[in-house]
Amino acid sequence: MTRDVTDKRRPGLAAGIKQRLIQDALQRKLKSAGRQPAAAAASGQEVPEQHYRFALHPGYQQLRIISEGAARLGVSSPFFKVHEGNAAAATRIAGDAYLNFASYNYLGLSGDLAVSHAAKIAIDRYGTSVSASRLVSGERSVHRELEEALAALYGVDAAVTFVSGHATNVSTLGLLFGPNDLIVHDELIHNSVLQGIQLSGAKRLSCPHNDPEALDALLKAHRRDFERVLVVLEGLYSMDGDYPDLPRYVEIKRRHRVFLMVDEAHSLGVMGARGHGIREHFGLDGGDVDIWMGTLSKTLAGCGGYIAGESALVEHLKFLAPGFLYSVGMPPPVAAASLAALRRMRELPDRVAALQARGASFLARARRAGIDTGTSAGLAIVPAIVGNSLRAARLSAALFARGINAQPILYPAVPEQSARLRFFLCSEHSEDDIAYTVDVLAEEIARL
């Protein structure tokens, strides 16, 4: 019924062979350099060089072997492309224009004139940094305005913002839960949640993806063995573009008397008639979920994360969460930009409608072309699953050569035989953009 998330990531045959080759290569490198294995250090002999040199760290060596192997196969790295301006539906890289499907600028609000103007005003008023933790002397009115607006969006008591989306989950989970507690997460949950659970010391169990019945059975078996129990889901899963049956999870959490947390990093601005997220999509009350989490770096055109919920939760985090307490406050222009983006989202429901229409169109066209889109719901995220990592990297390069920027997702981020390209839609994409991209995608998949 349950299994650790690493089971989901276990590679297929191709990845298993790759790992053995990597290990063999590492051993040969160590032997050729006359260095002894790790046991030498334990027996009192000289400390092996790989234990104090980053260049010999196994993780870095593995990265080098994979990169060199890809280069020998004629596959250049698809990562760290330098964009020369704002990246929304289109972008410019190395002087050339591309259709862009690799950014989370879902409503085109990064680059929106009103959002940029708000950031510029904040710089003139507050400077570029608050230069202190908010608890001591880093509090500014724009922080409170943003948090009040986020709380109102969810219909809850309060909200608190962090300077990093990843750190929001790590710090929140690390503070609120401990060794006597259990955290159950969807098997495809984001890395930030896994890191937060590890910091907390709580028992961790993964649950099959989008399977509330499996969660119900798990809680029947384990709820009474722990003090606090938390269930963590995502509003919209970034690798697959699908979402949970949230009302069913709410019913289960109430019956078993556990906490429920929803990570809305990708669902805010994307789901619901006005873009208010999975809560609006299902018509739920804000209090139906105990911890609402989200990021400011996607729809809201800034950087950082937030937690929204009851006053006791938010006050606890503001005074004791290390990632908030010991971190400098969010830069005023970032907070102002996200606040302006939130207001623009409310003013421009047509952008939400356009985004949803483009996502549905992309999904329908891709399926008609025989492209494997997995379980995507067509809400801004559509994967094209092509098999192994090499195929995905080559496909990304082929599309790039034809003016389309779409990033590959490779093992170990997904299982080796589920490597894919992910297409992130934007409200500014046109139907012609979608039609051209899917046609090119189908052609290049056929050539692989």
Side-chain angles (χ1 to χ4, degrees), residues 83-100:
H83 295 251
E84 297 169 357
N86 184 53
T91 190
R92 184 168 291 275
I93 301 170
D96 294 322
Y98 293 86
L99 287 176
N100 186 38

Side-chain angles (χ1 to χ4, degrees), residues 143-262:
H143 295 137
R144 296 192 180 188
E145 291 177 52
L146 174 59
E147 289 166 350
E148 289 169 0
L150 288 167
L153 179 74
Y154 285 97
V156 295
D157 295 339
V160 57
T161 54
F162 293 72
V163 293
S164 160
H166 191 282
T168 300
N169 278 334
V170 173
S171 200
T172 297
L173 297 176
L175 173 71
L176 296 179
F177 300 92
N180 295 326
D181 303 328
L182 169 66
I183 300 180
V184 184
H185 61 82
D186 188 282
E187 64 185 340
L188 301 187
I189 206 70
H190 192 264
N191 171 270
S192 57
V193 171
L194 302 181
Q195 295 297 315
I197 297 171
Q198 182 176 357
L199 178 63
S200 75
K203 171 70 175 179
R204 174 171 77 88
L205 291 175
S206 67
C207 195
H209 180 54
N210 281 347
D211 189 342
E213 305 312 318
L215 173 66
D216 191 35
L218 184 153
L219 292 176
K220 285 178 182 177
H222 297 285
R223 173 64 184 95
R224 298 299 177 183
D225 299 331
F226 299 91
E227 294 178 1
R228 285 168 292 275
V229 175
L230 172 71
V231 174
V232 190
L233 312 172
E234 293 186 26
L236 186 66
Y237 288 89
S238 63
M239 293 294 176
D240 295 271
D242 57 3
Y243 58 87
D245 180 0
L246 190 54
R248 179 73 177 112
Y249 283 96
V250 169
E251 185 275 323
I252 291 170
K253 83 101 180 177
R254 285 176 174 160
R255 183 154 39 82
H256 291 283
R257 297 181 181 272
V258 302
F259 294 111
L260 177 61
M261 177 178 182
V262 178

Side-chain angles (χ1 to χ4, degrees), residues 100-104 106 238 266 380-381 422-426 429:
N100 186 38
F101 295 92
S103 296
Y104 314 134
Y106 293 126
S238 63
H266 290 275
I381 302 170
R422 279 190 308 177
F423 292 84
F424 293 100
L425 282 300
C426 173
H429 282 123

Side-chain angles (χ1 to χ4, degrees), residues 375-391:
T375 56
S376 174
L379 288 168
I381 302 170
V382 183
I385 301 170
V386 296
N388 63 52
S389 296
L390 180 59
R391 285 171 58 86

Side-chain angles (χ1 to χ4, degrees), residues 262-344:
V262 178
D263 181 335
E264 281 228 280
H266 290 275
S267 48
L268 181 67
V270 172
M271 300 184 71
R274 297 168 296 170
H276 290 193
I278 194 170
R279 182 176 81 89
E280 182 182 41
H281 178 85
F282 283 111
L284 298 174
D285 291 330
D288 288 336
V289 170
D290 301 285
I291 306 174
W292 292 103
M293 180 271 172
T295 57
L296 305 175
S297 57
K298 300 174 177 64
T299 291
L300 296 185
C303 190
Y306 62 84
I307 295 290
E310 63 177 281
S311 296
L313 165 69
V314 172
E315 187 175 359
H316 191 177
L317 294 173
K318 291 181 79 169
F319 278 90
L320 294 176
F324 180 85
L325 178 62
Y326 298 109
S327 177
V328 69
M330 182 178 293
V334 174
S338 290
L339 177 60
L342 183 55
R343 290 169 174 165
R344 290 290 280 166

